[in-house]
């Protein structure tokens, strides 16, 4: 039997950066709520997704920009390492699927 841990994020793109042979995309998932006056208070949580597959990297670089709404799914892996004598815990979100849902609305 195969086992795995999977994630799914729908959110707005923040930064897009190349790191070695990978592409890392920060995505904000919105967990806002209404305050006591009924006004919506934004509360974004940022997650960085790493794309390893060359064909998906090429597509994302040509089609995705900050502010776009995307859907991504993939596997997640927790790791730990020692840095400056301290244990550091990390989670890698490795995107298998990466899709554009809506381009950022143009202003003006």
């Amino acid at each position: 039997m195969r086992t795995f841990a999977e994630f799914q994020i729908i959110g707005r793109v923040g930064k897009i950066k190349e790191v070695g042979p990978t592409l890392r995309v920060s995505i904000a998932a919105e967990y806002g709520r209404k305050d006591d006056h009924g006004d919506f208070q934004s509360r974004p949580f940022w997650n960085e997704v790493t794309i390893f597959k060359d064909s998906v990297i090429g597509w994302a670089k040509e089609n995705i920009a900050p502010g776009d709404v995307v859907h991504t799914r993939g596997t997640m892996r927790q790791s730990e390492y020692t840095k400056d004598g301290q244990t550091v815990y990390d989670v890698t979100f490795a995107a298998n699927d990466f899709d554009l849902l809506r381009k950022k609305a143009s202003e003006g």
Side-chain angles (χ1 to χ4, degrees):
M1 174 171 58
R2 180 176 167 224
T3 63
F4 61 94
E6 185 175 66
F7 76 89
Q8 174 175 248
I9 301 172
I10 296 174
R12 291 198 179 278
V13 172
K15 294 180 182 178
I16 302 169
K17 61 184 177 182
E18 292 184 60
V19 179
T22 69
L23 188 68
R24 295 191 185 172
V25 181
S26 62
I27 302 172
E30 181 65 58
Y31 294 96
R33 63 175 184 85
K34 289 188 177 183
D35 63 16
D36 295 338
H37 304 287
D39 296 322
F40 183 78
Q41 299 297 314
S42 177
R43 191 166 181 209
F45 285 84
W46 291 93
N47 294 283
E48 187 175 75
V49 174
T50 303
I51 303 171
F52 292 93
K53 190 173 182 180
D54 290 338
S55 61
V56 179
I57 290 171
W59 180 88
K61 287 167 68 175
E62 291 180 15
N63 294 286
I64 302 298
D68 292 348
V69 177
V70 296
H71 171 258
T72 184
R73 293 172 51 134
T75 57
M76 47 194 279
R77 299 180 286 252
Q78 185 174 0
S79 60
E80 66 179 73
Y81 57 93
T82 302
K83 181 176 181 180
D84 300 327
Q86 299 290 320
T87 301
V88 177
Y89 298 93
D90 189 32
V91 175
T92 298
F93 294 100
N96 296 330
D97 301 316
F98 201 95
D99 300 300
L100 176 64
L101 298 180
R102 187 174 68 226
K103 292 298 282 178
K104 178 182 177 181
S106 58
E107 298 176 21

